[in-house]
């Protein structure tokens, strides 16, 4: 068994939830915050048998889009004003960042 942990954008989370339910995969959704943008994102925990990992990855790919996001300028606040960028910068936020972990034991009580 594997635990798939997928960090995705909030905008895609309902679509991904629906697609997982349609395909009879169980998942837990957590509200999370990206360390770089400090903006909300969504983390899915999906426990599946090894043979279903590829299918779940396909579903994630089909339902999560990469997008450009603007990062607001951060004031230097006593730091080096030379490195201050006074305008928003665009970053490409991926459709999904996925970790696949082996599960040692799985129990439901
Ligand atoms: P954030 O940390 O808010 O990052 C959002 C996007 O900002 C990233 O998209 C990347 O394009 C850019 N970015 C991140 N750190 C950067 C830096 N030091 N310099 C320049 N640009 C930077 P993604 O790579 O697609 O990541 C989307 C979200 O997935 C991340 O949100 C974070 O919540 C999670 N994530 C990504 N890599 C991770 C990792 N290795 N471990 C844990 N979570 C990760």
């Amino acid at each position: 068994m594997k635990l798939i942990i997928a960090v995705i954008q909030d905008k895609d989370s309902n679509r991904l939830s629906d697609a997982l339910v349609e395909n009879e995969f169980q998942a837990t959704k957590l509200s999370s915050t990206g360390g770089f943008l400090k903006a909300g994102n969504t983390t899915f925990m999906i426990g599946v048998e090894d043979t279903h990992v590829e299918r779940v990855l396909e579903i994630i790919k089909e339902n999560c889009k990469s997008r450009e996001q603007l990062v607001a300028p951060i004031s230097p606040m006593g730091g080096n004003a030379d490195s201050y960028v006074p305008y928003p910068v665009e970053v490409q936020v991926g459709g999904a960042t996925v970790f696949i972990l082996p599960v040692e034991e799985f129990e439901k009580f």
Side-chain angles (χ1 to χ4, degrees):
M1 189 178 199
K2 296 280 191 290
L3 177 65
I4 300 173
I5 299 178
V7 185
I8 69 153
Q9 296 178 48
D10 288 344
K11 285 177 185 158
D12 296 321
S13 76
N14 282 341
R15 211 147 40 110
L16 179 58
S17 287
D18 292 347
L20 289 169
V21 170
E22 260 169 44
N23 286 273
E24 295 177 15
F25 291 114
Q26 295 201 31
T28 297
K29 239 167 86 170
L30 307 169
S31 294
S32 45
T33 305
F36 183 69
L37 294 180
K38 296 177 179 61
N41 52 28
T42 304
T43 300
F44 277 77
M45 289 197 311
I46 311 158
V48 287
E49 292 305 330
D50 290 16
T51 50
H52 290 142
V53 169
E54 281 309 313
R55 179 62 192 131
V56 170
L57 293 181
E58 272 174 23
I59 294 171
I60 294 172
K61 275 186 217 160
E62 282 162 13
N63 289 281
C64 300
K65 283 196 292 185
S66 178
R67 297 181 182 86
E68 301 272 317
Q69 198 157 319
L70 284 179
V71 184
I74 300 159
S75 146
M77 287 292 284
N80 183 358
D82 293 342
S83 61
Y84 175 57
V85 184
Y87 46 83
V89 177
E90 247 179 17
V91 290
Q92 184 81 20
V93 184
T97 300
V98 182
F99 303 87
I100 302 169
L101 287 70
V103 174
E104 201 165 300
E105 198 175 329
F106 172 70
E107 306 282 358
K108 275 190 181 180
F109 298 107

